[in-house]
Amino acid sequence: MSTFTGVAGLVHWDSDNIGELTSFSLDVNHEPVESTVLTDTTRSYEVGILNWSGSAEVMWSDDDAGQVAMWTELLTPVVKEMIFYPEGSTSGDIKWTGNAYIVSHSLSTSINSMVTLSIGFQGTGALAKAAVS
């Protein structure tokens, strides 16, 4: 069984690498659909629609092309391709690809710390897992 450290992880927004990345999450789930009827004594469910979303944490940079594009596209929403590379982008590494739009930005700062930005996104359509070629 292979394990990985996060040191090589990358996220791309369209063709831009999101710079100064410190972490990211990719959340994938099926929304259950209740199929319980009035005569049932326990609830029952069917597998529902797949949903994916997540966030990226970065040290804020006002000259990073990926961060600037994501900020602009929060203000004027547009769907773009996102690619997640949890183990790096070397041939054979795993990646997830799908279209998403930016839903939130949270800029934070405090005394004696870096300025950070949390970027929330919502996937739309399929999410595909493949090996980097």
Side-chain angles (χ1 to χ4, degrees):
M1 180 173 117
S2 298
T3 59
F4 306 94
T5 64
V7 71
L10 302 166
V11 177
H12 287 182
W13 172 249
D14 199 27
S15 60
D16 293 318
N17 181 49
I18 301 173
E20 309 300 329
L21 186 69
T22 59
S23 68
F24 72 87
S25 69
L26 177 58
D27 308 312
V28 183
N29 64 69
H30 282 279
E31 297 175 10
V33 176
E34 187 169 357
S35 58
T36 308
V37 296
L38 290 177
T39 56
D40 289 345
T41 57
T42 59
R43 294 191 183 275
S44 57
Y45 296 87
E46 302 296 325
V47 174
I49 296 173
L50 184 75
N51 177 38
W52 64 276
S53 61
S55 65
E57 310 296 323
V58 300
M59 287 185 284
W60 182 61
S61 172
D62 63 355
D63 62 359
D64 177 77
Q67 289 186 37
V68 170
M70 292 178 108
W71 177 258
T72 301
E73 285 139 10
L74 170 66
L75 301 176
T76 50
V78 62
V79 172
K80 289 199 173 175
E81 182 180 68
M82 290 191 82
I83 307 174
F84 306 89
Y85 302 92
E87 58 186 293
S89 59
T90 303
S91 181
D93 289 346
I94 297 298
K95 67 178 180 176
W96 279 269
T97 305
N99 291 326
Y101 57 94
I102 304 305
V103 295
S104 67
H105 275 184
S106 178
L107 192 64
S108 299
T109 188
S110 64
I111 295 173
N112 202 29
S113 71
M114 301 299 291
V115 177
T116 61
L117 177 65
S118 178
I119 304 161
F121 57 85
Q122 176 62 57
T124 180
L127 180 67
K129 179 182 174 184
V132 175
S133 53

